[in-house]
Structures are given as structure tokens and as C-alpha cells.
Amino acid sequence: MVDKKSNKKSAKIKTLKTKMPEQAPEKRIKNFKEVALGYSEEDAVRESLRCLQCKNPRCIEGCPVDIDIKSFIDLISKRQFDKALEKIREKNSLPAICGRVCPQEDQCEKVCIVGIKNDPVAIGRLERFVADRGLCGEEKKSDKPGHLCAGDSGDLKHESKLSGAKIAVIGSGPAGLTCASELAKMGYKVTIFEALHKPGGVLVYGIPEFRLPKKILFDEVKFVENMGVEIELNTVVGKIFTIDDLLNNGYKSIFISTGAGLPYFMDIPGENLNYVYSANEYLTRSNLMKAYLFPEFDTPIANVNKIAVVGGGNVAMDSARTAKRLGAEHVYLIYRRSEVEMPARNEEIEHAKEEGIEFLLLTNPVEIIGKNGWVDKIRCIRMQLGEPDESGRRRPNPILGSEYDIDVEAVVMAIGQGPNPLLTSSVSDLKLTKRGNIEADPETGKTSKRGVFAGGDIVTGAATVILAMGAGKKSAMAIDDYIKTGKW
Ligand code: FAD
């Protein structure tokens, strides 16, 4: 409910969010630099004044990690930017990441009272502003007075209150990083075991530099490490050692957050041709293996003129926009439903359109046709929408006889990912769902195996950064309770 004072203020409120400057589309398709450039101090203060400071702020309920949004925005309006960052970090160790990639339009901003008649307050942009201001890379706090540097958070290290209580976290994506940082705050000795050679999960191998610069990610990971969390890279749990090995070697509890890294394919003819990629492989080649830094890194990747990306989510948008930047003249985004049903964030859809991605909607591939073993064409069929299916979206049905071919040299399948069975198949008493996800209590992350918790995409299936973080946080509290009480 809004109080009277807020109502008075709402009469004067600016209708639109304060705009965030961006690189122009014609310029940005030629580089991998960040598209959105962030607020200036003046922009941030102006936007903060649009907040009604509601007595019962709904935005906080809309945030899976309970950030005190009202208070941090109030601090921005008073130009107390460091305090605003401290306020956010009470609940969220990865604000520069969340400010960039969280679907705020479906969370905090969706329930913002200002949003009933106007644009909601730009909570994500404000979070990003405060977080970016606090990041100063290699510089030390002492070199940048007034800043709370992630790389200089010695004061954030917490002494172990429960000496000897070692906890293992498997996977360093947003769920694992959040669970680890929350446990470190409580004084636990946490080690994250990560299969890849860099930490961050999807944030490092999936989301491209132009949406989430690696420097920002690694600065926030450093912040978590400076809390006392250790990260062991190149460690595939389930191969090098097992969950039981960890439990037998002094780890009192384990949080599994191995994500949904196994790509799905369509099961149509031609998917084994050269230059048919899963989005995971394509984006990993570009991001983690640095094809985007050509010629400094000469990573093999399809540098072609015509490429098709199949799918309508964030992963598809990221793949299509990457292809454009790698030099493709025609990037076809093939999606079987209409734009209304697209699961990608609106902002990503708009950016993709501005960058010249060619949307082929109500279209579905039925075959990939090859020449000498390489992709030559993609055969598609036109679709029409019928009654809603179990997902609530209208079911796409093929229009018989409407097949047609499109000339392409490469295809990227971005139709979803599932759980990788590598770890789960190495644990005998861990209950899984039919799809291979770990069965876990949604409130605590407790699994069927004593002492073992799980959260993020490995439990829910492919979801969002903030939901994974929320799950990591809930499990951290449940692990603390388990260690203290011994109750399962
Ligand atoms: P992940 O981020 O997948 O991390 C899991 C980690 O576990 C990985 O580092 C993996 O290497 C490691 N691992 C796996 N198996 C093992 C093992 N056996 N031993 C050790 N380590 C292991 N969400 C948004 O909110 N906004 C977006 O804009 C957005 N864009 C996306 C773009 C792409 C291309 C993709 C793929 C996803 C996107 N998502 C987005 C979804 C979001 O990134 C995920 O929901 C989120 O990262 C899930 O977090 P997680 O910690 O559960 O798993």
C-alpha cells in the first residue's frame, strides 16, 4: 500500500525511466564491448528520485535474495553511494552481475508501484550503477578513497566461528558463489570445486562480453574469494573424486550447484553435419576460448556469412548477436512461436533487432541439408499457433506442405539445456527426477542424501541467475541449521 506522502510525490513523477546510454547498433556490431554503458551519478540520482519510498515496498518481496531496495535507492538519492553498496551487499555478493543480467521486469520492477501508471523505477540500472562504482579492479581502496573495492575486501574476511566446519560447494555459477559467500559470512570454511579453468558458470562461458564483461565478473568473484572462500578450478567432481570422498574427508556438508550444461538437440536429420553447434559449444568457443578476441586468439569457430540460430530465449539471442559480431552478414533467428511467446528478455529482443538479426517467426527447422559433410541449407516449415499447451503458451502446429529452404553455412541450436549426469550418476543414493534433475526441497535444498543440498539449474532446470542465487542463499541457511543441530 502507498502512503499519502508517496501519493503526493507520485503526482510529479517522471513517466519514463531515466535512459541508459548505449553504444549505437551500427558501431556495436563491430565490437564485443558492452552495449549498455551505465548511469552517470546525475542519471542515478534523478532515477532514484522516481522511487516513492513506499511504506510496504513490494519490490523487496519481488527480489529472490531480499535486497533492501527501498533503502539502497534512498541512499542513492542522498548521494551516499558507498552506503548504498553496503546495503545491497548485505544480501547480494554479485550486484554488478545482477544489475546487468537479472530479469528485473519479471521480479522487483514488475511489482513496483510506480510501474502501475508509468515505467517502474529502474532498480536494475541503479543496482548496476552502485555496484560498478564500487569496483576498481586492480586498484586498492586506499588509491580510490570513498570506494568499496571488491578487490580490497580484507576487512570482509570473517573469522571461522565454527572451527573445522568445512563445507564443499560443487560448481562456481551464481548458485554456488552465493551459497559459498553466505556460508563464509557465517564463518564456515568453504571450498568451491569447479570443473572449468575459470569460475562463474554460465556467467563466464555462456553470457557474452557485450552483456557481461569478464572483468566485472572476475571482480565480483574476487570479492567472494576475499571473504575467505577457496575456489579449486579444473576439478570435475564425480571423476576426480566423489561426493562420498568429500564427506569421508572432513566436509560436513555439500551443496551441489552444477547447473544445466547439457545441450538439447532437435533430433532432426543433418544435426551431425560440420558447423552444426549447440549454443553451449558456440558460446563457449567465443567466450571462454576467446574466439571473440580474434586475432589475438585464433580459436576455431564458424566465421561464416549466413548462419541460423534456432530458439527464442536469452541463449538464442546471445548466440545470434555473437554471430553478428563475428562477422556474419545474415543471422536468421528461427523460432517456432511468435514474438509474444519468446522467453528472452525484452531488452535482448530489442537489441537483437536493432543489430539486424533477421527474425523468422512461426518457423521450425525440419532438416539440415549438407554438401560434402558441411551445412549448406536449413529446411524449415511454417507454423501456426493453436490452443495453449502445458506451458500455458499457444502450441505451434506445422502448416502441412509449407516447407522451404534457407541457404546457411552454419546452424546453432539454442533450444534448451538439461542436467549433465556426470556428477549425479556417481552418487548412488541421490534421488533424481525423470529429467535427471536432483530432487531437492524448494525451501532448503535438502536432497535424499544426508548432508547433501542442491540448488540452481541442476534442481529447477534452466532458469535464471537470480533464482539460482536465491536457492544458494536458502541452502546456506539450511546448511548452517543442519551443522548446528545435526537434524536432517
Ligand atoms: P551454472 O551457471 O550453470 O554453473 C554451474 C557450474 O558447475 C559450471 O561452472 C560448471 O562448469 C560446474 N560443474 C558442472 N559439473 C561439475 C562437476 N561435475 N564438478 C565440478 N563442477 C561442475 N539468466 C538470467 O537471469 N539472465 C540472463 O540474461 C541469462 N542469460 C543466459 C545466457 C546464456 C547463454 C545461458 C546459457 C543462460 C542464461 N541465463 C540467464 C540463465 C542463467 O545463466 C542460469 O540460470 C544460471 O547461471 C544457473 O546458475 P547455476 O549456478 O545453477 O549453474
Side-chain angles (χ1 to χ4, degrees):
M1 199 196 284
V2 191
D3 56 322
K4 278 186 190 158
K5 216 168 127 201
S6 303
N7 266 333
K8 258 191 218 161
K9 192 175 170 185
S10 68
K12 293 185 274 173
I13 214 135
K14 290 212 165 54
T15 314
L16 300 176
K17 283 180 180 176
T18 307
K19 261 193 114 168
M20 180 149 67
E22 288 177 351
Q23 274 198 79
E26 61 282 5
K27 190 172 160 204
R28 69 187 191 232
I29 56 169
K30 298 199 172 74
N31 67 58
F32 274 87
K33 290 192 194 135
E34 200 171 8
V35 169
L37 301 173
Y39 275 168
S40 65
E41 285 190 10
E42 293 318 310
D43 290 336
V45 171
R46 190 178 320 126
E47 184 61 23
S48 69
L49 293 170
R50 295 183 68 237
C51 175
L52 295 174
Q53 291 293 310
C54 305
K55 235 183 204 161
N56 300 308
R58 293 207 224 150
C59 50
I60 302 178
E61 287 163 33
C63 172
V65 294
D66 298 326
I67 297 175
D68 186 349
I69 295 168
K70 170 180 162 171
S71 300
F72 98 73
I73 293 183
D74 186 43
L75 287 163
I76 295 178
S77 73
K78 295 173 180 149
R79 294 184 180 269
Q80 297 183 14
F81 305 125
D82 288 348
K83 287 210 168 118
L85 180 54
E86 275 174 46
K87 185 53 71 191
I88 296 174
R89 282 203 173 133
E90 283 172 8
K91 298 291 170 95
N92 180 0
S93 301
L94 311 172
I97 294 167
C98 290
R100 284 171 168 79
V101 304
C102 271
Q104 290 98 8
E105 63 278 16
D106 294 326
Q107 312 269 357
C108 51
E109 293 183 17
K110 187 176 182 179
V111 288
C112 169
I113 298 286
V114 176
I116 296 173
K117 289 196 175 156
N118 307 292
D119 272 3
V121 176
I123 299 169
R125 292 176 184 179
L126 290 173
E127 182 181 26
R128 172 190 161 146
F129 162 76
V130 172
D132 282 4
R133 206 180 158 280
L135 296 172
C136 44
E138 298 304 303
E139 291 174 78
K140 291 272 180 285
K141 189 173 176 178
S142 48
D143 298 336
K144 231 177 162 186
H147 287 235
L148 247 190
C149 298
D152 184 32
S153 46
D155 45 337
L156 288 159
K157 228 175 220 172
H158 299 261
E159 286 306 311
S160 181
K161 288 181 232 151
L162 301 163
S163 59
K166 291 199 300 176
I167 315 289
V169 170
I170 306 173
S172 66
L177 289 170
T178 303
C179 183
S181 64
E182 291 299 315
L183 287 166
K185 275 188 209 165
M186 296 177 210
Y188 291 97
K189 289 183 185 162
V190 189
T191 307
I192 301 181
F193 296 99
E194 166 56 52
L196 296 175
H197 63 282
K198 294 273 182 199
V202 168
L203 307 174
V204 71
Y205 77 76
I207 301 184
E209 182 77 10
F210 55 82
R211 280 215 293 134
L212 176 62
K214 305 286 168 273
K215 194 185 158 309
I216 300 281
L217 165 65
F218 294 141
D219 240 337
E220 293 209 326
V221 172
K222 188 93 204 129
F223 181 83
V224 174
E225 286 182 294
N226 283 349
M227 293 171 110
V229 172
E230 284 183 18
I231 305 183
E232 289 202 16
L233 301 171
N234 301 307
T235 309
V236 185
V237 182
K239 280 279 173 209
I240 298 179
F241 48 77
T242 62
I243 294 273
D244 284 320
D245 292 336
L246 288 169
L247 289 171
N248 294 333
N249 277 296
Y251 287 93
K252 299 285 179 228
S253 182
I254 295 176
F255 178 65
I256 304 177
S257 49
T258 46
L262 192 73
Y264 293 144
F265 282 88
M266 291 188 73
D267 209 11
I268 55 174
E271 279 184 309
N272 56 351
L273 288 164
N274 291 315
Y275 275 179
V276 177
Y277 293 95
S278 68
N280 261 27
E281 180 187 345
Y282 186 70
L283 290 170
T284 300
R285 279 175 185 271
S286 178
N287 297 324
L288 194 64
M289 295 165 69
K290 300 205 164 51
Y292 80 97
L293 290 176
F294 181 83
E296 200 186 328
F297 289 80
D298 193 8
T299 308
I301 194 162
N303 272 315
V304 296
N305 253 333
K306 294 178 179 174
I307 184 167
V309 175
V310 184
N314 287 324
V315 186
M317 297 301 150
D318 282 344
S319 304
R321 297 173 69 201
T322 294
K324 197 73 184 174
R325 284 161 175 78
L326 288 174
E329 200 176 329
H330 291 284
V331 182
Y332 304 108
L333 190 109
I334 300 179
Y335 181 56
R336 62 192 180 140
R337 292 183 157 105
S338 74
E339 191 175 318
V340 180
E341 290 85 20
M342 272 191 165
R345 294 185 66 192
N346 289 343
E347 187 179 272
E348 304 314 321
I349 297 174
E350 287 316 310
H351 280 157
K353 283 185 184 166
E354 286 168 9
E355 291 168 12
I357 307 301
E358 296 164 56
F359 282 44
L360 304 180
L361 303 172
L362 290 167
T363 303
N364 206 26
V366 289
E367 183 178 355
I368 303 167
I369 300 163
K371 202 183 203 174
N372 303 324
W374 297 83
V375 171
D376 187 46
K377 294 178 195 307
I378 186 162
R379 179 158 296 161
C380 295
I381 191 163
R382 297 188 203 283
M383 311 289 280
Q384 60 191 354
L385 294 178
E387 292 302 308
D389 62 15
E390 56 287 350
S391 74
R393 295 176 300 173
R394 291 178 65 193
R395 185 189 298 278
N397 298 315
I399 304 174
L400 293 181
S402 67
E403 290 90 344
Y404 68 108
D405 294 347
I406 308 167
D407 288 342
V408 288
E409 298 148 273
V411 175
V412 179
M413 289 292 178
I415 57 162
Q417 304 92 238
N420 189 324
L422 203 146
L423 172 86
T424 49
S425 61
S426 71
V427 197
S428 54
D429 37 2
L430 197 61
K431 262 198 193 160
L432 304 181
T433 65
K434 271 188 204 148
R435 286 176 163 251
N437 294 101
I438 298 176
E439 272 189 21
D441 182 308
E443 288 311 311
T444 61
K446 257 186 199 178
T447 69
S448 56
K449 189 172 172 71
R450 189 180 173 87
V452 179
F453 295 76
D457 282 5
I458 184 63
V459 171
T460 54
T464 63
V465 170
I466 196 72
L467 289 176
M469 290 176 66
K473 196 164 193 165
K474 281 184 189 166
S475 281
M477 290 192 280
I479 289 172
D480 180 45
D481 188 55
Y482 167 64
I483 300 278
K484 282 179 177 156
T485 64
K487 277 192 201 148
W488 189 251

